[in-house]
Amino acid sequence: MSAFRRDLMTVCALGAALVVGGFVGSNYMLGVFVLFGMTSILVLSYRTITTMGGWSFAHIAIMGIGGYSVAILSKPPFDLPVLVAIVAGGLFAALFAALLSYPVLQTRQYYFFLSTFAAGEALRQCFIQFREITGGTSGIAFIERPEILPNPSSTLEFLCLVAAVLVLLGIFYASLDASDAGLKIKAVGEDEALSSSIGIDAWALRALAFILGSFGAGIAGGLFATYNGIVSPSDINAMLMFKVVAACVIGGTTRFSGPILGLLFLTLIEEIFRFVPEFVPMIWGVFVIIAILFGQWARGRLMVWRIKNA
Amino acid sequence: MQILLNCLSLTSFYLCFALGLALVFGVMRIINFAHGEFFMIGAYATYLCISTLSPQLGGPVAWAIGAIVAAAVTGLLGLVLHRIMVVPLGDKPLAIFISTLALSYVIQTIVFQIFGPVGLSIAPPMRGVVNFGGAILPASRLVVIGVAAVLAAGLWVFLMRSEAGRRIRAVAQNPRGALLQGIRTEKVGRLTLILGSSIAGICGAAMGPISQISPFMGAGALWKAFIIIIVGGIGNIWGAVAAAAIFGVLDTLMSQFGAGRFLALTSAAVMLFVLSVKPSGLFGEKE
């Protein structure tokens, strides 16, 4: 079974599981499934960015662009259908990433996380400051659900929509991964100097990964906004960013199943400790530290074992 | 004159906050995301010292003891951090970045549980205001300016004039070369991290009386410190000093002339511009 097929199976199985779970689960579970589906879109799009070797910390701020686009475009004077606005939000997020990509992708490693972190934070501050457009700290409320749903107030129908979007984007990202460009992006992520030496345009491919990954973040942001009915600067919180990064760290980013399983694990913790939510970040943090340190230790042991048994 | 003083006071704060981060980053090429939390712990340590000691000893003495305790506690934290994360993860900047990010959440939650989420106020050790040629400056801000000046000058003397400082500079310039000269790079790294963390703690002690202290006070200031390090240049502590001055002046002027809402945008624009023109920062050398 090829990697491409396995990734497709992963997203389709996840989409199906969400829908089936939605039909049999309680009302509370429905909400959990919807959030899980939307966050899955975030982690899958984030994984695409990580394949080029850079871990961005602006992903959630860029998601906010999608949310605000939907809030603004679905209201007068634009009055676009919500679904069109969501797609537009994804495109705006991609556009923003494209603008950011020249300065930010000049940087490597630590500079890349620092600069994306600072840029994301500055963007969040802008959402707070430009009150005329974004409604300041209170945000923009009364965002409609997409019109294509027969019954807009039904969470189950919205869950089906999320699952459909998840599968579509999953197919898109899996195809990208398996394509020529996707393989080159991975090569650049592995060893940039070597890739450049055989004539791969490293910068363009890193920008491509960053832009396409940000597109998914924008779509997820649009879905969040229409699901909550409101978008505000508090949606762009560090916890969510941490959740996305932690899912990729705990699960690994080689295949699609990694981040999804990581996210599943974090969500389980969140649900188990539902009654003491203030402890959740700490428990997540502890698990991330364990995952990183244990991974390092295990790699070391493996190396020793290989040398001994060589 | 008032504007000048405000510039100086803001620059001092930025400098305080970014100095330890820039030192650790410059020498070891690692980002300690929990730096903001160390700053916060310094402030809380000072709060505890002042609230328990100031009735017997008076404000200024209690504050001085608080600052020493803050430096000791955060220095110890730096030592622990070096032992459990930096040494095992050695040359993996991303892994260190993310594990210190995780650590910052752990510390935040612990402090949140002990002291509660509500901001606390520290009684300022120095009361009253100082007059400078018609401009006023609260005494506690004068403390911050003093602390920043002493720290920057002390660090300069230490790095330039002492044996240990020379070792640190050697490692910063060329870790492998330093190793070949018989310098124990791991020891130097440990010293650097302890120093950088202590600086964060002292700044927490200095800044605590000015603003409210809360479990999340460190995280809020961190992004600005990141921008300062980037603009200042890679591995260049004096570049960070210059960048702190640039932003101290820029931000004060913008607030003064009613453009405060564009602060974040301007800072980010400056950062992105510098990155576009000179990816290694204004005063950085090519990697």
Side-chain angles (χ1 to χ4, degrees):
Chain A
M1 191 139 109
S2 71
F4 172 64
R5 263 207 217 140
R6 232 181 338 187
D7 288 345
L8 279 188
M9 293 272 291
T10 307
V11 275
C12 294
L14 176 65
L18 285 176
V19 173
V20 170
F23 272 102
V24 297
S26 63
N27 256 345
Y28 174 78
M29 287 311 287
L30 260 180
V32 173
F33 286 139
V34 170
L35 283 179
F36 188 86
M38 294 191 294
T39 319
S40 299
I41 297 175
L42 275 179
V43 294
L44 283 184
S45 57
Y46 190 69
R47 181 196 157 275
T48 299
I49 296 180
T50 62
T51 51
M52 61 93 164
W55 289 59
S56 154
F57 280 77
H59 206 62
I60 300 300
I62 288 176
M63 175 193 100
I65 293 181
Y68 276 99
S69 304
V70 169
I72 293 163
L73 293 176
S74 65
K75 288 181 180 299
F78 302 102
D79 273 333
L80 290 177
V82 174
L83 216 52
V84 176
I86 289 178
V87 175
L91 292 174
F92 275 123
L95 181 69
F96 179 80
L99 292 175
L100 209 56
S101 62
Y102 178 72
V104 165
L105 291 173
Q106 298 278 338
T107 58
R108 303 283 176 277
Q109 295 214 348
Y110 17 81
Y111 259 46
F112 184 71
F113 358 115
L114 288 186
S115 54
T116 48
F117 179 90
E121 184 58 28
L123 183 62
R124 190 180 70 89
Q125 303 262 3
C126 288
F127 287 141
I128 296 173
Q129 293 296 346
F130 294 104
R131 281 179 294 277
E132 299 79 12
I133 308 171
T134 61
T137 41
S138 48
I140 302 174
F142 307 113
I143 303 168
E144 304 284 323
R145 292 269 173 96
E147 293 86 346
I148 57 159
L149 302 177
N151 175 9
S153 59
S154 148
T155 312
L156 183 58
E157 285 177 12
F158 192 80
L159 178 64
C160 295
L161 174 75
V162 170
V165 174
L166 173 67
V167 170
L168 281 177
L169 273 174
I171 293 171
F172 170 66
Y173 284 132
S175 317
L176 173 75
D177 233 42
S179 73
D180 205 32
L183 291 173
K184 281 182 186 159
I185 288 171
K186 274 204 208 50
V188 171
E190 290 284 324
D191 190 335
E192 197 174 338
L194 194 60
S195 319
S196 302
S197 72
I198 53 172
I200 293 178
D201 184 350
W203 182 83
L205 285 163
R206 292 169 76 222
L208 182 73
F210 188 52
I211 292 166
L212 292 178
S214 299
F215 173 75
I219 298 277
L223 288 171
F224 267 103
T226 172
Y227 176 65
N228 295 329
I230 178 167
V231 61
S232 75
S234 59
D235 298 341
I236 305 167
N237 60 18
M239 269 332 292
L240 187 56
M241 187 70 239
F242 184 57
K243 193 178 183 179
V244 171
V245 174
C248 288
V249 169
I250 291 174
T253 56
T254 322
R255 297 262 56 90
F256 278 28
S257 47
I260 298 289
L261 288 174
L263 183 63
L264 186 64
F265 176 75
L266 293 171
T267 309
L268 281 176
I269 290 178
E270 216 175 352
E271 292 307 314
I272 291 167
F273 294 95
R274 203 163 77 204
F275 306 104
V276 277
E278 64 273 21
F279 281 105
V280 168
M282 178 166 118
I283 298 159
W284 282 356
V286 168
F287 274 108
V288 167
I289 293 171
I290 290 173
I292 289 176
L293 290 177
F294 176 77
Q296 183 75 1
W297 177 84
R299 269 191 292 276
R301 301 305 312 161
L302 190 69
M303 203 98 103
V304 170
W305 184 83
R306 276 194 187 146
I307 292 166
K308 275 186 178 161
N309 294 285
Chain B
M1 193 66 200
Q2 184 69 57
I3 293 178
L4 198 68
L5 279 183
N6 291 349
C7 286
L8 192 61
S9 131
L10 192 61
T11 299
S12 304
F13 168 58
Y14 286 159
L15 179 60
C16 258
F17 200 90
L19 196 60
L21 206 61
L23 175 71
V24 171
F25 182 57
V27 176
M28 307 164 73
R29 298 284 183 273
I30 58 171
I31 299 291
N32 174 12
F33 209 100
H35 190 83
E37 275 60 42
F38 287 6
F39 168 82
M40 178 262 288
I41 285 175
Y44 272 94
T46 311
Y47 164 79
L48 284 179
C49 281
I50 286 188
S51 54
T52 52
L53 296 174
S54 94
Q56 296 94 0
L57 302 171
V61 180
W63 180 83
I65 293 173
I68 292 167
V69 170
V73 170
T74 48
L76 190 66
L77 274 174
L79 177 67
V80 171
L81 179 70
H82 184 259
R83 186 71 213 90
I84 62 169
M85 283 181 189
V86 178
V87 174
L89 298 172
D91 53 349
K92 291 199 170 54
L94 175 76
I96 292 174
F97 186 74
I98 291 177
S99 48
T100 50
L101 172 66
L103 180 70
S104 81
Y105 281 114
V106 174
I107 295 176
Q108 265 179 25
T109 310
I110 293 171
V111 173
F112 179 97
Q113 286 306 319
I114 298 173
F115 294 98
V118 186
L120 302 164
S121 297
I122 298 182
M126 317 261 290
R127 294 192 187 283
V129 291
V130 187
N131 274 303
F132 283 105
I136 51 166
L137 188 72
S140 48
R141 288 203 179 266
L142 197 63
V143 173
V144 176
I145 295 175
V147 166
V150 168
L151 280 179
L155 191 63
W156 189 86
V157 170
F158 172 75
L159 287 178
M160 292 295 165
R161 293 277 176 274
S162 76
E163 188 62 36
R166 265 198 289 277
R167 278 197 216 111
I168 288 181
R169 278 189 297 141
V171 173
Q173 280 170 12
N174 186 339
R176 181 173 289 186
L179 194 64
L180 292 172
Q181 294 300 323
I183 294 174
R184 296 188 182 175
T185 42
E186 195 170 297
K187 257 187 161 165
V188 170
R190 193 166 61 204
L191 177 66
T192 309
L193 208 56
I194 291 172
L195 260 182
S197 307
S198 300
I199 291 175
I202 293 174
C203 293
M207 285 303 294
I210 290 179
S211 52
Q212 284 225 316
I213 59 173
S214 82
F216 312 107
M217 68 191 283
L222 198 62
W223 71 281
K224 194 81 191 198
F226 283 174
I227 289 186
I228 287 171
I229 292 184
I230 290 173
V231 171
I234 192 160
N236 188 331
I237 298 166
W238 316 120
V241 176
I246 292 171
F247 282 110
V249 172
L250 187 70
D251 292 3
T252 308
L253 290 180
M254 284 180 73
S255 311
Q256 204 76 33
F257 296 114
R261 54 193 315 202
F262 298 106
L263 270 183
L265 192 61
T266 317
S267 306
V270 169
M271 173 188 83
L272 294 174
F273 176 74
V274 168
L275 282 178
S276 307
V277 180
K278 211 170 167 253
S280 54
L282 286 181
F283 306 95
E285 56 266 14
K286 270 267 168 269
E287 278 282 280

